[in-house]
Amino acid sequence: MTRQLYGEDHQPALWRPLCVCLVVAAFCVVAWLTTTRPPDINGNVVAKIRQDTGLGANRDQRGCLAAAGYVWCEGSGKCIRPW
């Protein structure tokens, strides 16, 4: 602690807290810009099923085994047997 002489007016240094705030803000912006995002945000990706799978070629575009009676259910988001 230094002594203040008569007539000296020392104002608190605001540059240190300002620099800390700027560094923290820059770190947050960089972290936000570099986060990984899913490849498809809108859900428009259609899964492509290869027809030479080990289970046979009787699968539809969603991967449901049509020969076994499975159909795609939009509500549950998976293959189901309706009977």
Side-chain angles (χ1 to χ4, degrees):
M1 183 169 171
T2 61
R3 290 188 179 194
Q4 183 176 0
L5 299 176
Y6 181 76
E8 282 186 310
D9 188 20
H10 289 288
Q11 296 179 357
L14 293 177
W15 64 272
R16 283 185 189 165
L18 182 63
C19 288
V20 169
C21 289
L22 288 175
V23 168
V24 169
F27 177 77
C28 291
V29 168
V30 169
W32 178 67
L33 290 174
T34 59
T35 56
T36 57
R37 291 178 179 82
D40 181 49
I41 296 174
N42 297 329
N44 294 330
V45 172
V46 177
K48 294 182 180 179
I49 306 298
R50 291 179 27 185
Q51 294 298 325
D52 58 344
T53 60
L55 296 176
N58 293 330
R59 293 189 178 267
D60 63 1
Q61 293 173 345
R62 300 278 188 157
C64 299
L65 191 56
Y70 286 96
V71 293
W72 181 256
C73 177
E74 288 290 333
S76 64
K78 61 182 180 179
C79 297
I80 63 166
R81 280 186 173 169
W83 40 276

